Amino acid sequence: RRARAGAQTSLHVPYGDGEGEKLDIYFPTEPSGTFPVLVYIHGGYWQCLSKDESGFAAPPLVSQGVAVVAVGYDTAPKGHMDAMVLQVRRSLAFLVQRYSGIRGVYLCGHSAGAHLAAMVLSTDWTEYGVAPDIKGAVLVSGVYNLEPILHTYVNNALNMSREVAQRNSPILCVTSAAPAAAACEVLVAVAQHDSPEFRRQSQEYGQALRAAGWSVSLLDLAGVDHFDIIEKLSEESYVLTQV
């Protein structure tokens, strides 16, 4: 509510025909002709949360001339993994086609949202007829290999097969950095108090990107856990906000 009260917004902007295919856009306080945009993809193990709770990061950014876009997608059990990945990719294509003033796209995702943002990095944009200028990605406490969750309760709602998990695992989809991608800086952030599996996957995915020629840095944040590592984006002085 604070974010919406303090910014010019366009809420529930449809990027497709599906019920969940909508964006919330928080425009910069003093928009010039062009502006960078931070695209935020929420977590919730692909089955809870929504774009409606995702505006918390907007206030410190819109005050600095950055637009913030919260992406909605169909969570499980209605949405399945292939569809969610496709929706997030389509939302980005829509965004850059609709708003010509965007100068540079920065992805930010948390947990399951970091997984979806990482899948965006492996997109073949020729299929979408656009070439988004993705300048950076901040991947926070993400899941980059879906196979370990196949036999956990998380997969009860997702109902993924091994094939679905493999083709939607960012660590198995790393593409060699094309010239455009080489200009994209990727920050893989993990919390001190994240579980060992989140920490391991973050390190391995960062290494895989670096080996493929991407510009990657790993940030291990002390004193935070899986949740407040992202919630603190509402604070202007927080290290991730500053980055």
Side-chain angles (χ1 to χ4, degrees):
R1 284 198 297 269
R2 183 168 67 89
R4 290 175 178 182
Q8 180 194 341
T9 58
S10 289
L11 304 177
H12 318 303
V13 177
Y15 64 84
D17 298 328
E19 190 182 342
E21 297 180 347
K22 294 182 173 65
L23 307 172
D24 285 348
I25 305 173
Y26 300 79
F27 289 100
T29 311
E30 295 179 18
S32 55
T34 61
F35 48 85
V37 62
L38 181 94
V39 176
Y40 180 78
I41 306 165
H42 71 82
Y45 265 148
W46 304 276
Q47 51 202 289
C48 57
L49 297 180
S50 72
K51 69 172 178 54
D52 300 333
E53 300 90 21
S54 299
F56 62 92
L61 293 167
V62 297
S63 69
Q64 298 294 321
V66 180
V68 174
V69 175
V71 178
Y73 55 92
D74 286 317
T75 51
K78 180 182 181 184
H80 53 88
M81 190 58 69
D82 288 324
M84 289 184 244
V85 169
L86 181 62
Q87 284 178 324
V88 173
R89 287 170 168 166
R90 282 182 28 238
S91 75
L92 212 67
F94 166 84
L95 201 60
V96 297
Q97 286 171 322
R98 170 82 177 266
Y99 297 98
S100 57
I102 292 174
R103 58 167 178 85
V105 173
Y106 298 82
L107 302 171
C108 179
H110 172 244
S111 196
H115 158 266
L116 293 169
M119 289 301 292
V120 169
L121 295 181
S122 69
T123 306
D124 177 2
W125 290 108
T126 55
E127 296 177 28
Y128 297 83
V130 295
D133 183 16
I134 302 175
K135 291 188 179 296
V138 181
L139 308 176
V140 185
S141 295
V143 182
Y144 307 107
N145 184 350
L146 300 183
E147 286 195 74
I149 66 176
L150 282 173
H151 304 293
T152 71
Y153 76 94
V154 175
N155 199 34
N156 293 347
L158 294 167
N159 199 26
M160 286 188 297
S161 65
R162 174 159 270 104
E163 291 73 27
V164 170
Q166 287 175 340
R167 70 169 168 261
N168 290 293
S169 288
I171 199 158
L172 302 178
C173 302
V174 173
T175 53
S176 295
C184 173
E185 292 185 50
V186 181
L187 177 66
V188 180
V190 67
Q192 178 186 355
H193 303 300
D194 260 320
S195 73
E197 180 69 7
F198 277 107
R199 293 176 60 80
R200 181 184 70 81
Q201 288 206 15
S202 294
Q203 191 157 17
E204 290 182 359
Y205 181 61
Q207 289 168 346
L209 281 177
R210 192 173 288 135
W214 290 74
S215 171
V216 183
S217 47
L218 191 65
L219 183 60
D220 194 333
L221 280 165
V224 289
D225 62 27
H226 187 72
F227 301 100
D228 58 1
I229 188 174
I230 196 73
E231 290 164 357
K232 288 163 81 73
L233 275 182
S234 61
E235 302 169 12
E236 190 165 348
S237 59
Y238 179 48
V239 59
L240 275 187
T241 315
Q242 291 294 318
V243 169

